[in-house]
Amino acid sequence: MSNEPTTPPSEPPESAPTPTDTLVRRSHTLTTVSGSISYTSESGTVVLRRDELKDGVWQGRKAVAEVAITAYTLDDADPQERPVTFAFNGGPGSSSLWLHMGLLGPRRVEMGDAGDLLPPPYGVVDNAETLLATSDLVFIDPVSTGLSRVLSGEKPKDFHGFTADIESVGEVIRTWVTRENRWLSPKFVAGESYGTTRSAALAQHLQEKLGMYLNGLMLISSVLDFGTANFEHGNDRAHALYLPFYAATAHFHGKHGDRPLREVLDEAEDYASRDYPWVLSRGNRLTEAERAEAVSRLATLTGLTEDYVDRADLRIEHWRFFGELLRERGMTVGRLDSRFIGLAASRIAESMDADPAMDAITGPYSAAFQHYLGTELGVTSEQVFHAISEDVGRDWSFKEFENSAVYVIDRLARAMRQNPHLAVHFAYGYYDGATPYFCAMDDVARLAPALLPRLEHHFYESGHMTYVHQPTRVQQSGDLAEFVRRHSGSGSAL
């Protein structure tokens, strides 16, 4: 008999715990412009699952990610009559805190505005104009934004792409609607920036793939054709479509004297629609007189010098414009909101080094939301909160549009043809240099005339995050609530 010690039998490895939803439920009351409401919040993460096949054999539904959401539902409301709005921002790579804390949610950040910013720490105050008074709300942070993460063993890049993003966000919506028995509720989707790109494609996906027909889309600072903002490879279309934004910005910063803004915009829109594209198409075939007239007209509209416009060959690129307009003052204007200005890092740099609007907005929103998440919604997490993830933006795949601009106007048109009750609300900011209003209007012009009666357009003297400007926030809140009421079906009791 051997005297060597025996090795105990090995124990089977512990299996990873089954992921589960981690939603925290809280009760609240709020005084809105239409009266007092009682509502319930559920905030945390929900498990995202996908169908798993191996060699054509069904393997079940595999958990792949934890997606952060915050849902607000009115207490004691009839779910078949109560609308619900699913909301997100864009990026790609942005969480939903901007729409959540700036415009739609029951609480909002208090940060001041351009030229009158409050110092840190920032405040969180009641939002008396919240859309919650009219519609339940579900805010979604796509995978790798906010506190949303893939599960161990999964690849984040599998979610960082046009189609994968639509499918994952669509699955979150389908799961929530099913669990909450809301299939017969009026349904809306609200997106901002790239969130409008997602919304247009998502409407088609929800209707065609899941049988979930929507009542309306709310597209805030929309971009449905990326070609409108492409200044590369001789794309003169972008130079023309940005001109009204340049003119609005020049007006705000005193370059048009006491002329009314609308008068300036009318002139810029008319020139951008007709003469300017012709001028750019002529190239070196312009006569000296024609070129001189174009230089003078563009300089007047944009607030730039004739010398600069001439040296730019009549083509004003947006990043250079931000750094050039107030160069003599050593300042740059904002891209997200050109009402904001900041000190230039270099007075001889070709373009600005950072967006002063983004600098002004990021701190207040990030701090306010994380405070609100922990103290009022009851969600505690030591994970880094990604307000905007640059890694996601770098990883993002548009393989579906290889060798062409991202374009979803056809998908929106298909969703509207399929669903004759789908209405679309467009919101534009005159001072938005990320998705300029005239670019977005050019997108809409590609839709068939028969669809136009179901579109509505709202213009505001604000930027990309329209609601940073408080008069706009109040006006826009009312516009959105009215849109939801009008398109929630005849049986709705709001």
Side-chain angles (χ1 to χ4, degrees), residues 24-40:
V24 179
R25 187 180 179 92
R26 292 278 177 90
S27 296
H28 312 264
T29 59
L30 176 69
T31 300
T32 73
V33 292
S34 56
S36 179
I37 61 174
S38 297
Y39 65 96
T40 298

Side-chain angles (χ1 to χ4, degrees), residues 1-58:
M1 186 175 182
S2 172
N3 293 324
E4 293 181 3
T6 59
T7 303
S10 60
E11 297 182 1
E14 292 185 9
S15 59
T18 302
T20 59
D21 295 351
T22 60
L23 295 174
V24 179
R25 187 180 179 92
R26 292 278 177 90
S27 296
H28 312 264
T29 59
L30 176 69
T31 300
T32 73
V33 292
S34 56
S36 179
I37 61 174
S38 297
Y39 65 96
T40 298
S41 67
E42 282 195 308
S43 189
T45 60
V46 294
V47 178
L48 178 65
R49 291 177 168 83
R50 67 181 174 210
D51 295 343
E52 192 79 0
L53 293 174
K54 184 176 182 181
D55 298 326
V57 178
W58 171 249

Side-chain angles (χ1 to χ4, degrees), residues 131 134 456 476-487:
L131 188 62
T134 304
E456 61 180 60
Q476 186 175 19
S477 297
D479 292 339
L480 291 173
E482 176 60 23
F483 175 77
V484 171
R485 282 192 288 267
R486 280 189 283 108
H487 297 286

Side-chain angles (χ1 to χ4, degrees), residues 405-422:
V406 177
Y407 185 90
V408 296
I409 299 168
D410 53 346
R411 297 171 190 250
L412 175 60
R414 168 57 187 153
M416 295 183 71
R417 292 196 308 273
Q418 183 180 26
N419 176 1
H421 299 287
L422 178 62

Side-chain angles (χ1 to χ4, degrees), residues 13 38 58 202 282 296 322 359 366 431 481:
S38 297
W58 171 249
L202 183 64
R282 296 293 292 166
S296 175
F322 302 139
D359 288 347
S366 182
Y431 306 115

